Amino acid sequence: MVDDNDDDAELFRSAVGPVRRIQAPAPPPTAPRPRPRAGMAERDDAAAREAFRHALDASLLEAGDALVYRSERLSPRAWQRLRRGEIAAQDELDLHGAGVREGEALLRAFIHDAHHRGLGCVRVIHGKGLHAGECVASSGVPVLKNLVDRLLRQRADVVAFHSAPASQGGTGAVLVLLAPPKRR
């Protein structure tokens, strides 16, 4: 018995002639690699936030206490000028009415932005915590004031800070000296 399929296949091959295999099409392009992130900086920032949340201890500031911090990088002359309020604030952030999480996010963004804009001195108004419900802990301590103190101490771009003179807000505001931005 003769198979018609064999005859058809033979007839087709003789009609087409010799064939060569074609190359497989190139695979579609892959998605571009993501831009590199500053992973260490992100982890350091997360670790600092976590340390801040767990660092509440007996050294909490009261409403009338001054915020004071000075890095070794700051000269005694510049420190005196900051304490006297002789350095003009180039920008200001008012945290009145902000909750703790919102205040923390606003302060981080404000300091980061001010540092990258090359500002030398900024003022942060945190209030004294005398008339606020959410801004005062059950122990009577001003929450935003302590938040500002602890957060500013952890930042590498903060050289020094001191409570503002009475004419600029007294112990309800703080003048912050920022390090100059690094040249790229």
Side-chain angles (χ1 to χ4, degrees):
M1 175 168 192
V2 177
D3 189 7
D4 286 339
N5 286 339
D6 285 342
D7 288 340
D8 288 343
E10 185 61 36
L11 183 61
F12 176 78
R13 275 191 232 102
S14 66
V16 171
V19 295
R20 64 181 167 83
R21 193 176 285 279
I22 62 171
Q23 291 182 350
T30 60
R33 295 179 66 186
R35 294 184 67 185
R37 294 185 357 230
M40 289 294 286
E42 290 173 4
R43 285 192 294 274
D44 287 348
D45 197 36
R49 262 196 302 276
E50 192 62 28
F52 168 76
R53 289 189 179 103
H54 294 299
L56 294 176
D57 56 14
S59 64
L60 293 174
L61 297 166
E62 298 293 328
D65 295 343
L67 296 179
V68 178
Y69 168 78
R70 177 183 173 220
S71 165
E72 299 89 31
R73 299 180 284 175
L74 187 67
S75 71
R77 172 103 172 100
W79 175 243
Q80 285 290 355
R81 290 186 63 220
L82 177 68
R83 287 180 46 213
R84 291 184 195 137
E86 296 173 356
I87 301 175
Q90 297 166 300
D91 202 354
E92 179 176 280
L93 171 68
D94 191 346
L95 294 175
H96 277 114
V100 176
R101 290 189 188 272
E102 179 188 9
E104 180 181 357
L106 286 171
L107 182 59
R108 285 182 189 280
F110 175 72
I111 296 295
H112 180 267
D113 180 57
H115 179 253
H116 282 286
R117 287 181 8 214
L119 301 182
C121 182
V122 294
R123 180 175 28 250
V124 177
I125 302 170
H126 48 74
K128 296 180 183 180
L130 298 175
H131 306 291
E134 183 181 319
C135 298
V136 178
S138 58
S139 60
V141 227
V143 175
L144 284 177
K145 183 173 190 167
N146 282 286
L147 170 87
V148 168
D149 180 58
R150 293 191 190 282
L151 197 135
L152 291 178
R153 287 176 189 274
Q154 295 173 350
R155 296 197 57 102
D157 48 5
V158 172
V159 177
F161 59 85
H162 196 283
S163 286
S167 62
Q168 296 181 32
T171 57
V174 63
L175 294 174
V176 182
L177 277 184
L178 300 172
K182 293 183 178 165
R183 303 275 180 206
R184 293 180 188 189

